[in-house]
Amino acid sequence: MSAGASSGGGSAEALRRHDLVLIAGGGTGGHTSPGLAVAALLSARGVGCAWIGSRSGIEASRAPAAGIAYHAIPTGKLRRAVAWQNVVDLLVNVPAGMVAAFRALGRLRPRIVFATGGYVAVPVMLAAAARSIPIVLHEQTLVPGLANRLGAPLARRVGVTFAASAHHFPAQKVVVTGNPLRPELRGGSPHDAVERFGLDAALPLVYVTGGAQGAQRINRAVGDALASLLERAQVIHQCGDNPSTGDRQWLEARRVALPAALRARYTIVPYVGAELAGIYAATALLVARAGAGTLNECCQLGLPALYIPLPGTRGDEQTLNARLVERAGGAVVLPQVELTPARLLAAIGALLANPRRLKDMGARAMTLAVPDADARLVSLLTEVWR
């Protein structure tokens, strides 16, 4: 196993303006952010990028917003539960996606495919292999997803975030690259969040997030603990806007019922975009799921976190992610089975009562990050296409 990839400037000599890197992957922020970070660095070096993704995943909005040419293809996924959708996806959507990807690669003629995982990456990798286009994979989590396990035999190299996950792939292909951070999240100013959300700069900020769709168990626990929580902190709560749970409306009603002084300390947002950099800069403690994207952002930025991993994911990957940071001293883990409003309030209160511990947690979380992960991945791409 290679220990890493060089981040030196020499790799730029192999990159030419007419070269094109094709990024494939998405579905979640964790699969999308590495592609955005690598695309930003490639663009700065004069190399063009295009992206093949799904029609409705998070990448469908984020990639075009970053100025990346975007091509949507039909997608299908293999669900662990027995479902009729599996038959439709395997017999219709996956083959249709591969045909569309094969045609797109023929038009775009990329030098290399950078696959970041998610079910949309599979047909692209199969099409790339059929066209003899080299593939580099990137794995964000400790436990590889199905897409990357299927794609690994087709790839020339596999970049992994953590050395502990390397054994899942052929040793001769693995390079420890880390997981890159989207550049727009660096250098955020607390002042931006204070101004945008009317925060009190003297009061600690707790940022609660369950991912783009929100997390109902976290939303409900926070809502039930709201009055007591707001007596000791202010809260920005990214709750999603899932009509099937009604969490946003329920939280809004809880907010309206608060005394005016506490109501001013509670901000509900369904989704966070460009303002995230300022929120992170102002945050004293993050309360979140432990998906690869969120965990990487916390480690890169030195944010102390209280993780409530989503149970039931394949290989229980979120718990493994969170426990890794906890062992390093950068987070506290509260299993969902133990989540109650009282337990949540006690855990947040204990952490906010010890600012020195929070500072130390942030520093320890940063020890797991690879600050130049984007440059390492670009070097890996260059190595493969030479």
Side-chain angles (χ1 to χ4, degrees):
M1 179 183 71
S2 174
S6 168
S7 61
S11 63
E13 297 174 1
L15 308 176
R16 296 189 292 272
R17 290 184 181 276
H18 61 269
D19 288 327
L20 181 74
V21 176
L22 191 287
I23 301 169
T28 66
H31 292 312
T32 303
S33 291
L36 294 173
V38 167
L41 182 56
L42 287 170
S43 177
R45 295 182 178 183
V47 179
C49 293
W51 196 305
I52 294 180
S54 65
R55 294 191 174 103
S56 58
I58 195 169
E59 73 278 10
S61 58
R62 286 191 178 178
I68 303 170
Y70 191 78
H71 307 268
I73 63 171
T75 57
K77 63 185 294 186
L78 182 61
R79 300 159 185 85
R80 286 183 291 275
V82 176
W84 65 267
Q85 294 97 325
N86 282 338
V87 177
V88 174
D89 282 346
L90 288 173
L91 297 182
V92 179
N93 292 329
V94 170
M98 185 177 173
V99 170
F102 188 85
R103 290 173 176 168
L105 292 176
R107 293 193 308 271
L108 297 169
R109 301 174 63 84
R111 287 286 299 272
I112 196 165
V113 167
F114 177 51
T116 63
Y119 51 85
V120 71
V122 175
V124 182
M125 288 188 285
L126 291 171
R131 287 192 176 274
S132 300
I133 299 170
I135 300 166
V136 170
L137 288 183
H138 183 252
E139 177 55 57
Q140 298 89 44
T141 69
L142 278 169
V143 181
L146 179 59
N148 280 354
R149 286 188 286 128
L150 292 172
L154 306 176
R156 301 275 186 90
R157 292 287 188 275
V158 180
V160 297
T161 299
F162 305 109
S165 64
H167 70 277
H168 293 286
F169 301 104
Q172 71 275 15
K173 293 185 178 183
V174 174
V175 178
V176 179
T177 61
N179 193 0
L181 179 73
R182 289 179 287 150
E184 63 267 26
L185 293 183
R186 295 196 186 277
S189 169
H191 179 74
D192 293 341
V194 169
E195 288 295 309
R196 185 182 186 96
F197 298 105
L199 302 177
D200 181 348
L203 196 65
L205 173 65
V206 175
Y207 175 46
V208 178
T209 176
Q213 298 300 315
Q216 186 176 32
R217 288 291 301 275
I218 295 176
N219 288 343
R220 297 288 168 152
V222 169
D224 285 334
L226 204 51
S228 297
L229 177 57
L230 294 172
E231 289 175 357
R232 61 193 75 184
Q234 53 196 334
V235 175
I236 294 177
H237 188 167
Q238 185 269 310
C239 64
D241 194 11
N242 188 337
S244 66
T245 65
D247 284 353
R248 182 183 178 187
Q249 293 74 19
W250 181 79
L251 288 166
E252 292 282 6
R254 303 284 291 189
R255 180 182 181 275
V256 169
L258 291 168
L262 297 183
R263 192 184 314 137
R265 296 179 177 183
Y266 184 50
T267 301
I268 300 170
V269 290
Y271 181 76
V272 174
E275 64 271 27
L276 182 58
I279 292 174
Y280 275 156
T283 293
L285 175 66
L286 181 104
V287 177
R289 292 298 196 195
T294 299
L295 184 138
N296 181 58
E297 289 164 3
C298 289
C299 290
Q300 291 276 2
L301 298 172
L303 281 176
L306 174 64
Y307 289 124
I308 306 167
L310 176 66
T313 54
R314 196 195 59 77
D316 201 16
E317 66 177 44
Q318 287 208 7
T319 297
L320 293 176
N321 290 344
R323 293 294 186 191
L324 177 73
V325 185
E326 185 181 53
R327 287 194 299 272
V332 171
V333 177
L334 176 59
Q336 181 166 290
V337 69
E338 301 175 16
L339 176 62
T340 65
R343 286 293 303 274
L344 179 65
L345 188 62
I348 293 174
L351 290 168
L352 292 180
N354 194 340
R356 180 174 294 182
R357 182 185 179 190
L358 288 177
K359 184 177 180 179
D360 182 64
M361 286 171 63
R364 290 177 180 272
M366 289 186 75
T367 65
L368 296 174
V370 179
D372 65 339
D374 54 350
R376 292 184 182 217
L377 284 166
V378 168
S379 292
L380 190 58
L381 291 168
T382 304
E383 173 193 321
V384 169
W385 75 33
R386 277 176 176 163

